[in-house]
Amino acid sequence: TYAKPALPERVDWSVTFYPKTRNEIDDDNARGSLKAYQDGIAAAFRINDNRFNAPRVQFGEPEKGGRVVVRIL
């Protein structure tokens, strides 16, 4: 088993979206899509997801296939 990392009472996190195309991304929809990420991260750390602050959302340059980068700050 692995040791559970210590997290602060409130968790700050950032997300960078690298879209597949240059089409404009709707910020509200991008933020809405993060619920599954938040739930998964909370489950991995075995904490309640209500400890997460609102994420800092950024948009990078398009990349083939697209990707999402999540950072716990």
Side-chain angles (χ1 to χ4, degrees), residues 43-65:
F45 284 113
R46 295 186 176 106
I47 62 172
N48 191 315
D49 70 342
N50 69 2
R51 289 180 50 187
F52 284 74
N53 291 321
R56 299 175 191 154
V57 176
Q58 303 172 71
F59 297 95
E61 290 296 313
E63 293 185 5
K64 184 176 181 177

Side-chain angles (χ1 to χ4, degrees), residues 2-7 44-45:
Y2 296 97
K4 183 174 150 183
L7 291 174
F45 284 113

Side-chain angles (χ1 to χ4, degrees), residues 20-64:
K20 293 187 273 188
T21 66
R22 292 208 174 273
N23 293 342
E24 189 171 330
I25 298 173
D26 181 85
D27 186 67
D28 289 338
N29 288 337
R31 287 179 183 279
S33 72
L34 297 176
K35 181 62 176 152
Y37 290 94
Q38 182 175 333
D39 288 345
I41 294 166
F45 284 113
R46 295 186 176 106
I47 62 172
N48 191 315
D49 70 342
N50 69 2
R51 289 180 50 187
F52 284 74
N53 291 321
R56 299 175 191 154
V57 176
Q58 303 172 71
F59 297 95
E61 290 296 313
E63 293 185 5
K64 184 176 181 177

